[in-house]
Amino acid sequence: MNTFGQIFRLTTFGESHGAAIGGVVDGMPAGVEIDVDFIQQELARRRPGQSAITTSRQEPDQVELLSGVFEGRSTGCPIGFIVRNQNQHSSDYDNMRQLFRPSHADYTYTYKYGTRDHRGGGRSSARITISRCVAGALAKLALRQLGISIQAYTSQVGDIALERDYRLYDLSQTETNAVRCPDAEKAAEMIALIEQVKSEGDTIGGIITCVVKGCPPGLGEPEAHKLHADLGAAMLSINAVKGFEYGEGFAGVTQRGSEQNDVFVCRNGISAYGTAPMLTTKTNHSGGIQGGISNGQDIWFRVAFKPVATLLQTQDTVDVNGEATMLTARGRHDPCVLPRAVPIVEAMTAMTIFDHYLLSKTAKI
């Protein structure tokens, strides 16, 4: 399937070395102000060639909105868009046509479909996340009008890590450095590590933390579409993601229930449904979600990314006939995916939160 979402739906198409990447967004309410400059800024955060620690591929990644927008606002009709590929070096992949790259989708695509596009991974390339960033930007524009904001940042590269508590950092500083880390000292260490790894022809992984503020209580379904389950599915659909945890996650297993429970305190007002008092909690170990439904606190989670699979080193592998051989990769590749993955995490979060908002009520923005 190439479609995400239930009401706010994105269907994507395109390959890394094809003519274009694109998509169709359905379910966008009418009347949302569409800021094309903002969409382009979101793509610029994801695009290649933006710093010395990312791939050197140079692409303008200019979005073309084809439908669903009139006089600067959404019409309620499907929003079609494309971003044309302009800087492919397909010949860099000629030596991979008959080989299976370690930890890539080459073998699984071949086994499933009987064919594969060896140029940059084709459909399995991270370049297809362009469509997610466009749709995520559209969802962000709608969420902005609802007072909901999303901020992701690099919280770990290799063994260099920030404290888990996002409240210790000024997240507005995230975009002040190439690795997108809100701590300047740690950012410098992370960049130095990525540069070292790159010089060795190797790659490194890490963790991105994401925080959602202003999310109202009541988003999420009690069983099949719990909010954290859909957020987890969205994150795990991103290339190179290996893990998802929300709230205290795995770190919470060493604590007692008396330490983990988020104690409620009452605040003024009643809920939107008039059935319960408006509450807050003294702590937020739950990560803003309880019983699969948002509770009005900050939603926070962490996403683990593996090291990029393409190494500029010689590796053992096999060819399409199962014969042992050696692979020496060429081309332009990221030594660490984290800096460019930050806006992708935000985009998938925005789509998921907005989709659940639309599911929770008939929304007029």
Side-chain angles (χ1 to χ4, degrees):
M1 298 296 292
N2 299 287
T3 300
F4 301 92
Q6 301 169 81
I7 294 181
F8 185 88
R9 294 165 62 89
L10 166 67
T11 301
T12 71
F13 64 84
E15 296 84 32
S16 176
H17 287 236
I21 306 294
V24 177
V25 172
D26 208 352
M28 184 69 151
V32 177
E33 184 177 350
I34 304 301
D35 184 343
V36 179
D37 289 339
F38 174 75
I39 299 172
Q40 197 59 55
Q41 289 168 14
E42 292 296 278
L43 282 176
R45 296 171 68 211
R46 193 226 70 95
R47 74 172 179 82
Q50 59 186 276
S51 77
I53 60 172
T54 64
T55 172
S56 61
R57 180 172 178 171
Q58 293 294 325
E59 290 277 6
D61 286 352
Q62 188 71 39
V63 65
E64 301 174 42
L65 298 182
L66 306 177
S67 63
V69 179
F70 179 67
E71 295 183 341
R73 294 187 178 273
S74 59
T75 63
C77 299
I79 299 177
F81 63 88
I82 60 170
V83 174
R84 300 182 188 276
N85 294 323
Q86 298 184 22
N87 189 228
Q88 308 100 314
H89 289 180
S90 299
S91 61
D92 287 345
Y93 298 89
D94 285 349
N95 68 322
M96 303 180 190
R97 180 186 290 271
Q98 301 297 322
L99 306 181
F100 293 129
R101 294 171 296 170
S103 289
H104 274 278
D106 298 347
Y107 173 70
T108 52
Y109 267 56
T110 301
Y111 195 93
K112 181 176 178 67
Y113 299 108
T115 185
R116 67 180 171 94
D117 184 347
H118 68 282
R119 304 166 303 166
R123 185 66 174 159
S124 67
S125 169
R127 186 155 176 76
I128 67 166
T129 58
I130 284 174
S131 298
R132 303 178 185 213
C133 284
V134 174
L138 292 168
K140 279 186 174 183
L141 290 170
L143 292 175
R144 179 191 292 175
Q145 297 183 215
L146 299 170
I148 300 172
S149 66
I150 298 166
Q151 177 70 70
Y153 61 93
T154 299
S155 55
Q156 184 169 339
V157 173
D159 59 358
I160 301 170
L162 303 186
E163 297 290 337
R164 290 174 60 87
D165 190 345
Y166 64 90
R167 296 170 299 178
L168 298 174
Y169 303 97
D170 179 0
L171 301 189
S172 69
Q173 298 300 302
T174 298
E175 296 293 319
T176 61
N177 54 74
V179 77
R180 294 197 164 93
C181 171
D183 183 301
E185 289 188 13
K186 290 288 188 181
E189 294 179 32
M190 292 174 180
I191 291 170
L193 175 58
I194 295 171
E195 289 174 339
Q196 175 193 338
V197 166
K198 180 181 179 181
S199 70
E200 298 168 353
D202 215 333
T203 62
I204 191 80
I207 293 174
I208 289 175
T209 298
C210 188
V211 182
V212 182
K213 291 183 174 290
C215 186
L219 302 191
E221 301 302 312
E223 188 58 31
H225 284 285
K226 294 183 178 183
L227 183 57
H228 63 271
D230 281 359
L231 282 170
M235 296 308 122
L236 289 164
S237 74
I238 299 172
N239 306 57
V241 169
K242 286 294 187 179
F244 169 84
E245 62 175 4
Y246 72 103
E248 291 296 340
F250 288 102
V253 302
T254 62
Q255 295 182 319
R256 306 287 180 91
S258 56
E259 297 172 291
Q260 276 280 296
N261 284 352
D262 294 317
V263 176
F264 288 110
V265 291
C266 195
R267 66 184 184 187
N268 294 331
I270 59 173
S271 76
Y273 300 102
T275 56
M278 289 295 282
L279 304 178
T280 186
T281 55
K282 290 183 177 180
T283 56
N284 190 16
H285 301 297
S286 301
I289 302 171
Q290 293 170 326
I293 300 171
S294 62
N295 65 6
Q297 305 306 300
D298 290 349
I299 295 172
W300 61 281
F301 57 85
R302 289 156 42 96
V303 187
F305 286 79
K306 71 172 184 176
V308 176
T310 299
L311 312 182
L312 297 183
Q313 299 179 357
T314 300
Q315 298 182 79
D316 293 323
T317 189
V318 298
D319 62 22
V320 294
N321 298 312
E323 298 293 330
T325 186
M326 305 292 288
L327 167 66
T328 302
R330 298 193 297 264
R332 303 157 296 175
H333 307 282
D334 288 287
C336 177
V337 75
L338 275 294
R340 296 175 60 211
V342 166
I344 302 168
V345 167
E346 290 181 2
M348 296 305 295
T349 303
M351 284 193 283
T352 303
I353 295 295
F354 189 49
D355 191 34
H356 274 277
Y357 176 80
L358 296 175
L359 281 166
S360 71
K361 60 191 70 179
T362 301
K364 288 189 178 298
I365 299 178

